[in-house]
Amino acid sequence: MAREKKNVHKIEMTERKRNIIQMLLQEYDIESAQDIQDALKDLLGGTIKEMMEAEMEDHLGYGKSQRSDNEDYRNGYKKKQVNSSYGSMEITVPQDRKYTFEPQVIKKRQKDISDIDQKIISMYAKGMTTRQISETLDDIYGFEASEGFISDVTDKIMPQIENWQNRPLSEVYPVLYIDAIHYSVRDNGVIRKLAAYVILGISQDGYKEVLTIEIGENKSAKYWLSILNGLKNRGVKDILIICADGLTGIKEAISAAYPQTEYQRCIVHQVRNTMKYVADKDRKPFAADLKTIYHSPTEEKALEALERVTETWSTKYPNSMRSWKQNWDAISPIFKFSSDVRKIIYTTNAIESLNATYRKLNRQRSVFLSDNALLKALYLSTFEATKKWTMPLRNWGKVYGELSIMYEGRLPE
């Protein structure tokens, strides 16, 4: 019986809606989708006016046609332009003699009722420039928004970014990645190349988490020590492995801030740097030879492969393998792990998908107007990208178990 009653109620609601639609069709002579928009815009204006009239009635304590001893009374209307989801529109706001009426449906200084701030921030997050956003708002909603206004709206998230940059972090991260992407930023009329350093952590549960984004140009042990100390101040007590490219001073900074942490040179970057000056015809066989090094089952076998590759290519590219030997202490930690752990720590696959999102910003904006403009874009892009991070890394249970044995006593059971 309850189900039958629910269905009847549903039919009654549908009938009411149908009647409303029929009335709209007759009242507004609707023939197109644009006519529907115009009708809804007109109804919105009328609804707002009626709600304000009711608020004025409540404020004065009597209706329009009623008598009252109240010294305050209605005093005409004031026109006001507001932006809505249906475009710009004019409304009439009732006034009282004493100017004490404070409407709530649209407050005195409110000029927007469309959640346009969120729309602007959403477009900015997707990499659109202020000019593109301005043009889009004009095309879709029919009202102008200057680039300065859009910049002001996005500036509202700066306190949010500051809170995010200073939020407490977990005590232990099994793996941390540090990577850099370079952007052009305008500074007092001069365009500079700045690096955005992204620090991505893998939590104890195997989930990816962006810990911070730092923008700077000076890479040094002092700089990296300040960044790592910042993580310590936010609650990070231990990191098992930090995977990064050969950032200047990073190794020394890790030793100072987290003496027990293992520094793993990113193999992807190592290979990329090696192949940088290799001729196209040699790239495929050279890359295949390099793979024999980092796919070796043990460090001993890897060193043997290193010698073979060096001997094979030293005539054509005498300096190509030098960095492998110079940085072997930071390359070699991978060889004590199984393939499951290696897949996580010796590549930056976990961070590459995030970097792909960040690189879109370079394609959409050739130059950022300021450091803050870049930080805003990166922060919003981060949240767009991380919406998809709903699952832990593959085989994380097995990886966690191996790390727990290898770094005994440093991971919670």
Side-chain angles (χ1 to χ4, degrees):
M1 290 297 291
R3 183 179 296 174
E4 188 178 337
K5 186 176 180 181
K6 185 178 179 182
N7 288 338
V8 170
H9 180 65
K10 214 171 173 185
I11 292 168
E12 287 176 355
M13 289 297 292
T14 304
E15 286 298 326
R16 289 177 195 172
K17 289 176 184 176
R18 189 176 290 116
N19 290 336
I20 291 170
I21 291 168
Q22 289 300 322
M23 290 170 65
L24 282 172
L25 291 171
Q26 293 170 14
E27 179 70 23
Y28 290 97
D29 193 23
I30 292 173
E31 295 180 352
S32 67
Q34 184 58 51
D35 291 340
I36 297 171
Q37 295 281 348
D38 293 339
L40 292 172
K41 183 176 174 180
D42 184 52
L43 285 170
L44 177 61
T47 303
I48 290 169
K49 183 183 176 186
E50 289 300 317
M51 290 177 73
M52 284 188 170
E53 292 287 5
E55 284 186 321
M56 177 62 86
E57 237 177 73
D58 185 62
H59 174 70
L60 296 176
Y62 64 95
K64 264 189 175 182
S65 57
Q66 295 176 324
R67 291 178 175 274
S68 173
D69 295 330
N70 191 340
E71 293 181 2
D72 200 6
Y73 53 83
R74 297 171 188 273
N75 190 28
Y77 296 89
K78 181 181 178 181
K79 290 182 178 180
K80 180 176 181 176
Q81 200 78 15
V82 295
N83 295 325
S84 75
S85 297
Y86 303 106
S88 186
M89 58 188 291
E90 188 177 78
I91 60 171
T92 53
V93 183
Q95 305 289 296
D96 66 327
R97 179 176 173 272
K98 292 186 174 182
Y99 299 102
T100 55
F101 176 53
E102 295 277 353
Q104 296 303 304
V105 60
I106 297 180
K107 300 185 185 298
K108 274 191 174 180
R109 292 172 185 82
Q110 187 179 355
K111 293 184 179 179
D112 188 274
I113 56 172
S114 64
D115 290 332
I116 200 66
D117 285 12
Q118 290 307 311
K119 292 182 176 71
I120 287 172
I121 288 171
S122 177
M123 285 187 276
Y124 201 86
K126 289 175 172 62
M128 293 176 68
T129 65
T130 52
R131 180 175 295 178
Q132 289 169 335
I133 294 170
S134 178
E135 290 170 353
T136 301
L137 290 175
D138 193 28
D139 288 344
I140 297 176
Y141 300 105
F143 56 82
E144 294 181 7
S146 69
E147 292 181 44
F149 169 74
I150 293 165
S151 183
D152 288 343
V153 168
T154 56
D155 276 346
K156 291 178 182 178
I157 67 167
M158 290 308 294
Q160 187 178 326
I161 294 174
E162 188 176 347
N163 289 337
W164 178 77
Q165 295 277 49
N166 292 294
R167 74 194 188 282
L169 299 172
S170 299
E171 289 190 359
V172 180
Y173 286 92
V175 185
L176 219 64
Y177 307 91
I178 302 175
D179 205 5
I181 301 179
H182 294 84
Y183 298 90
S184 296
V185 178
R186 193 182 302 278
D187 180 22
N188 295 322
V190 178
I191 295 175
R192 295 185 296 150
K193 274 285 184 184
L194 292 183
Y197 298 107
V198 182
I199 300 182
L200 174 72
I202 306 299
S203 72
Q204 294 169 47
D205 297 321
Y207 287 89
K208 294 186 287 186
E209 178 190 352
V210 178
L211 307 189
T212 190
I213 300 170
E214 303 289 341
I215 296 173
E217 56 183 347
N218 296 318
K219 294 187 289 183
S220 64
K222 186 178 179 181
Y223 174 79
W224 286 114
L225 184 57
S226 70
I227 300 299
L228 295 175
N229 281 338
L231 297 181
K232 288 177 79 172
N233 293 335
R234 292 166 62 191
V236 181
K237 294 180 179 178
D238 193 13
I239 303 161
L240 302 188
I241 304 163
I242 290 181
C243 183
D245 191 13
L247 302 168
T248 306
I250 187 69
K251 185 177 176 181
E252 294 80 4
I254 292 171
S255 296
Y258 294 99
Q260 288 185 290
T261 298
E262 199 141 36
Y263 168 45
Q264 172 65 57
R265 183 111 170 185
C266 171
I267 302 297
V268 169
H269 283 95
Q270 183 68 30
V271 171
R272 204 175 285 163
N273 293 336
T274 305
M275 302 294 293
K276 196 180 293 183
Y277 303 109
V278 174
D280 288 346
K281 65 176 183 176
D282 294 329
R283 292 181 71 84
K284 193 171 181 180
F286 202 150
D289 281 349
L290 290 175
K291 193 176 288 187
T292 65
I293 302 173
Y294 58 87
H295 278 191
S296 294
T298 64
E299 184 177 357
E300 183 183 358
K301 293 293 183 184
L303 285 168
E304 289 175 8
L306 176 62
E307 290 305 319
R308 282 197 306 271
V309 175
T310 303
E311 189 177 338
T312 302
W313 296 101
S314 60
T315 304
K316 266 193 172 182
Y317 307 103
N319 297 318
S320 59
M321 299 302 294
R322 183 183 296 173
S323 67
W324 286 79
K325 293 183 176 181
Q326 288 176 338
N327 299 298
W328 189 252
D329 62 328
I331 293 171
S332 59
I334 60 168
F335 298 112
K336 64 186 175 187
F337 296 109
S338 69
S339 60
D340 289 320
V341 179
R342 288 190 193 190
K343 285 175 185 175
I344 290 175
I345 66 167
Y346 75 42
T347 74
T348 51
N349 285 347
I351 205 169
E352 284 300 319
S353 61
L354 182 62
N355 284 347
T357 302
Y358 293 149
R359 288 190 188 100
K360 286 181 185 177
L361 299 177
N362 263 333
R363 293 196 292 271
Q364 291 162 325
R365 295 179 177 91
S366 57
V367 178
F368 285 84
L369 298 180
S370 66
D371 294 15
N372 273 353
L374 173 57
L375 183 59
K376 286 187 294 185
L378 289 167
Y379 171 78
L380 291 169
S381 293
T382 299
F383 274 82
E384 282 294 303
T386 55
K387 286 176 183 176
K388 301 173 185 176
W389 294 358
T390 56
M391 298 290 289
L393 296 184
R394 198 172 185 180
N395 296 324
W396 180 251
K398 188 176 179 182
V399 170
Y400 190 84
E402 187 171 329
L403 292 175
S404 296
I405 294 169
M406 198 65 73
Y407 300 97
E408 189 177 355
R410 290 171 64 185
L411 289 177
E413 294 295 332

